[in-house]
Amino acid sequence: MNKPLTASRPAALIAALLLAVAATGCSNMSKRDQNTAVGAGVGAAAGAVLTGGGTLGTLGGAAIGGVIGNQVNTKK
């Protein structure tokens, strides 16, 4: 069954998406730092959606996404 949409779920999703957008605009960051920040933002958004805006899911998603983003394109 679908849960009703609460105020915390959209707020967490919006905050995570804003973080991801803001991180991509940081031109003084290295490519690896940018990948880490974007990965954390996307992971936080995914964690928030999957857990219905739960804090633990959002933070866990951010941590996992940040690690994955950090490892993207590390070899040249």
Side-chain angles (χ1 to χ4, degrees):
M1 299 213 323
N2 291 339
K3 290 183 183 177
L5 196 59
T6 62
S8 64
R9 186 174 177 184
L13 181 60
I14 290 170
L17 290 174
L18 286 175
L19 174 66
V21 170
T24 59
C26 299
S27 61
N28 61 343
M29 294 172 67
S30 70
K31 184 66 174 167
R32 181 176 231 167
D33 290 343
Q34 290 176 359
N35 289 344
T36 302
V38 170
V42 171
V49 169
L50 292 174
T51 62
T55 304
L56 186 59
T58 302
L59 293 175
I64 293 169
V67 169
I68 292 171
N70 185 277
Q71 296 303 309
V72 172
N73 291 332
T74 57
K75 296 178 183 173
K76 290 190 176 189

